[in-house]
Amino acid sequence: MAPREGGEEGKNTPDPVEKSFATLEQLRVGVKAFVEKNGEKRRAELLSITTRRGQPSYYVHYEDFNKRLDEWVSANRIDLSQQVEWPQPEQPKKPPKTAAAQKATQQKAGQKRAHPGSTLKKDISPAPSLTPSTGNQGKGQRPTLAGGKENQRQDSESSVAVLAPEIDATGDTPKQEGEELDEVDVADAAARAKAGVNDEKEFDAQEERDRLRVSGSLTQNQTEISRVRNLTKIAMGEYEIEPWYFSPYPESFAEADLVYICEFCLGYFDAARQFERHRKKCTLLHPPGNEIYRDDNVSFFEIDGRRQRTWCRNLCLLCKLFLDHKTLFYDVDPFLFYCMTTRTESGCHLVGFFSKEKESAEGYNVACILTLPQYQRKGFGSLLFAFSYELSKREGKLGSPEKPLSDLGLLGYRAYWQETIVGILMDGDGRNEVSVEEIGALTAMTTADVLHTLQNLNMLRYSKGQHVIVLTDAIVAYHNKQLEKERTRGKRRIEASKLNWKPPVFNASSRTWNW
């Protein structure tokens, strides 16, 4: 028996996928085809199509591959001897109703349903007080905040809750200050919500692509623009690097085969001649800040985003090429940037950095952290983690990185947390017992991060009415193996005695140095 239209089975049945052969002229965004990658044919989705030097170019995402492997491909890499999968057709849109039309419809509906069994009346009675009979018994009153705006928002939310208790009003966008709520509109919205009618504007991917701005300003839709990487390759010092993600460099840079970035001032150029002329004039040999740490391997510089706006904005542009989950902000004033460099005869070369809010309400000690790809897998990431916690120790605070972390950032932090915590437990200093709070105080880690690490390593057990920390045989064997590697290969560490730094004090009004 066929499922009834609109029934539960009909909703869960996926739409059939349309497949057929296609030509290059018929390909469009959303089509899935087989694309050659490393000598193999892999299914990929076309995310963007453009013309470069008179030839079509396609930006593809390979199925079951990380997003950073998306790339531009030429037409000869697309296998059209196999059938392609066409995207689902878009549903027709209903034109939005104006406020006057909604009022007229509501008034007409009120006249037609003027019988005693009507469920919606034209005149709305005043909202009753919140008593157990209204279904809000367990909901406490919100604390009052400064400014009085919260009280206006609470009034509007409570009125919606009385009209339609099933609606969760907390997820809606609050109305602007001074904007009146029309009672008929509220009643109509509540009735349509009860009936399951969703008249939110649907997301139109093509419309968003048309509205994107990539000439250095913020994008209209960060999620959509980040799908398409705009730079092919960058040259920085002696390295040529393929970017992973989108970054809002000037639009003309998308046509360049190679973008040149000065490794000292981080200025960017799309022509080799321009870059060569700049290098003859650029006098900067290190990040424009105070050197607060130096050992035999690396140096750390502290840069104030308010004092060095151009340099810090260039750093954010470079960072966005390799970080997808962070939104690019041009307001760098509230941040401090701590840059790690290696020293040579030609100057201090940027290896990685982390940014930190001058005043973080959540207690984060890292806002954004990155090791440049040419220096990854060399132990520099662990140095950045250790340095951020060393600063937290000097401040006398517990710190944690800003969430959410990227995939590589989460792996790096988990490895650092494991190494640090297991090292403390293995050393012991003659103690048989240590609490989670004591581990946090010794490492400047928050209790949540310590518990997360212990649970992830299955080291937190429940015994005799309390939780205990257990060093498993696997953890001990892994730790000893890592120590053996350190003895043979060596390991870079942060020496607290070489840190010449004290917590800066900022003026609350200007958010700059209080000098």
Side-chain angles (χ1 to χ4, degrees):
M1 179 172 155
R4 205 180 310 174
E5 184 179 357
E8 200 66 29
E9 297 181 6
K11 291 182 179 179
N12 296 332
T13 303
D15 294 333
V17 177
E18 181 183 354
K19 294 183 178 181
S20 65
F21 292 98
T23 62
L24 288 176
E25 291 75 14
Q26 294 173 330
L27 294 180
R28 64 176 187 267
V29 173
V31 169
K32 294 182 179 180
F34 283 90
V35 180
E36 181 183 357
K37 180 176 177 62
N38 298 331
E40 299 182 7
K41 299 295 179 64
R42 301 187 180 276
R43 184 181 295 274
E45 179 184 358
L46 274 60
L47 302 182
S48 180
I49 302 176
T50 187
T51 301
R52 294 183 173 182
R53 297 178 178 87
Q55 298 295 328
S57 185
Y58 305 86
Y59 191 75
V60 299
H61 168 70
Y62 299 98
E63 289 188 352
D64 302 325
F65 276 74
N66 193 284
K67 184 179 176 182
R68 67 173 62 94
L69 298 178
D70 297 357
E71 61 178 345
W72 288 98
V73 299
S74 56
N76 56 9
R77 290 179 57 182
I78 301 178
D79 184 11
L80 296 180
S81 63
Q82 303 186 51
Q83 292 184 340
V84 302
E85 182 178 319
W86 300 96
Q88 297 292 340
E90 296 183 0
Q91 299 294 333
K93 299 180 183 178
K94 295 182 179 179
K97 290 185 178 181
T98 61
Q102 290 180 357
K103 289 183 180 180
T105 304
Q106 180 60 32
Q107 292 175 0
K108 184 182 295 184
Q111 294 175 0
K112 290 183 179 179
R113 295 194 298 265
H115 54 81
S118 176
T119 59
L120 183 63
K121 297 182 180 180
K122 179 179 178 180
D123 296 330
I124 306 300
S125 59
S129 60
L130 295 180
T131 61
S133 61
T134 62
N136 295 284
Q137 183 175 2
K139 185 179 292 186
Q141 187 176 2
R142 295 181 181 177
T144 303
L145 302 177
K149 295 182 181 179
E150 294 77 16
N151 298 330
Q152 298 175 6
R153 188 166 60 250
Q154 287 176 9
D155 294 340
S156 62
E157 290 177 358
S158 60
S159 63
V160 174
V162 171
L163 290 170
E166 298 84 2
I167 302 176
D168 182 12
T170 59
D172 296 335
T173 303
K175 283 191 170 291
Q176 297 179 359
E177 185 177 3
E179 184 176 352
E180 298 289 338
L181 276 177
D182 192 290
E183 293 182 349
V184 177
D185 292 342
V186 171
D188 188 31
R192 284 186 279 110
K194 287 184 178 181
V197 178
N198 182 15
D199 52 12
E200 292 184 357
K201 184 179 179 180
E202 296 182 0
F203 174 75
D204 188 346
Q206 185 59 41
E207 181 180 347
E208 289 296 332
R209 292 190 191 96
D210 295 339
R211 297 174 59 225
L212 294 177
R213 300 197 306 265
V214 292
S215 58
S217 59
L218 291 179
T219 60
Q220 296 281 351
N221 187 295
Q222 191 68 22
T223 302
E224 184 64 25
I225 188 68
S226 62
R227 298 183 70 190
V228 180
R229 188 180 67 216
N230 54 337
L231 300 188
T232 305
K233 187 179 293 186
I234 64 172
M236 189 172 180
E238 59 182 4
Y239 300 97
E240 290 189 1
I241 314 160
E242 291 186 1
W244 296 349
Y245 305 112
F246 170 88
S247 183
Y249 282 94
E251 185 176 4
S252 60
F253 281 38
E255 301 294 331
D257 294 330
L258 187 63
V259 174
Y260 301 87
I261 297 180
C262 177
E263 59 180 335
F264 296 112
C265 72
L266 304 184
Y268 42 89
F269 307 88
D270 59 350
R273 181 175 177 81
Q274 296 177 358
F275 177 69
E276 291 171 359
R277 292 180 60 188
H278 166 79
R279 286 301 304 139
K280 293 178 181 179
K281 300 176 182 179
C282 183
T283 58
L284 197 62
L285 298 178
H286 59 79
N290 298 324
E291 186 178 12
I292 60 176
Y293 179 88
R294 173 181 285 202
D295 61 18
D296 296 335
N297 300 312
V298 298
S299 294
F300 276 88
F301 291 83
E302 181 182 55
I303 300 101
D304 186 356
R306 182 181 178 88
R307 290 181 170 238
Q308 300 291 341
R309 288 176 180 166
T310 301
W311 194 91
C312 293
R313 288 171 179 172
N314 290 344
L315 180 62
C316 289
L317 285 172
L318 176 64
C319 163
K320 187 63 181 65
L321 289 173
F322 308 103
L323 289 178
D324 185 41
H325 67 291
K326 291 292 183 181
T327 304
L328 182 65
F329 289 101
Y330 283 87
D331 184 15
V332 295
D333 290 19
F335 294 92
L336 292 171
F337 295 83
Y338 295 90
C339 299
M340 179 172 59
T341 64
T342 57
R343 299 183 305 276
T344 64
E345 296 179 354
S346 59
C348 296
H349 307 274
L350 182 66
V351 173
F353 83 100
F354 66 88
S355 60
K356 179 180 180 180
E357 286 184 279
K358 295 177 180 177
E359 303 206 5
S360 175
E362 295 82 4
Y364 293 137
N365 65 351
V366 167
C368 179
I369 188 168
L370 172 71
T371 303
L372 293 177
Q374 63 266 35
Y375 295 103
Q376 290 181 2
R377 304 185 65 83
K378 296 181 180 180
F380 289 111
S382 180
L383 280 182
L384 286 173
F385 301 147
F387 192 80
S388 66
Y389 282 107
E390 195 63 42
L391 297 184
S392 297
K393 292 178 183 178
R394 288 288 181 95
E395 293 175 320
K397 300 177 181 179
L398 302 182
S400 179
E402 183 178 320
K403 311 301 187 300
L405 292 167
S406 64
D407 52 353
L408 296 180
L410 180 60
L411 291 175
Y413 264 104
R414 280 181 175 176
Y416 174 79
W417 290 336
Q418 174 181 342
E419 178 186 1
T420 305
I421 294 175
V422 174
I424 290 177
L425 296 177
M426 292 287 290
D427 295 340
D429 296 333
R431 295 178 298 180
N432 294 327
E433 295 183 0
V434 62
S435 65
V436 173
E437 290 76 12
E438 290 174 340
I439 295 176
L442 291 172
T443 60
M445 298 179 189
T446 61
T447 303
D449 290 339
V450 175
L451 288 174
H452 169 80
T453 305
L454 294 175
Q455 291 173 352
N456 187 56
L457 298 175
N458 196 24
M459 294 172 57
L460 200 61
R461 308 289 176 84
Y462 189 79
S463 175
K464 297 180 181 180
Q466 63 178 355
H467 288 89
V468 295
I469 301 174
V470 178
L471 278 171
T472 62
D473 294 338
I475 294 297
V476 173
Y478 179 80
H479 183 71
N480 292 333
K481 183 179 179 181
Q482 292 298 111
L483 290 179
E484 187 64 27
K485 285 184 179 180
E486 293 178 10
R487 294 189 190 100
T488 56
R489 302 180 183 178
K491 182 177 176 62
R492 299 184 177 95
R493 296 186 183 276
I494 296 295
E495 301 178 32
S497 60
K498 296 183 178 181
L499 176 60
N500 184 18
W501 180 84
K502 62 180 181 179
V505 179
F506 298 101
N507 188 311
S509 60
S510 61
R511 284 201 171 189
T512 186
W513 298 101
N514 192 17
W515 289 347

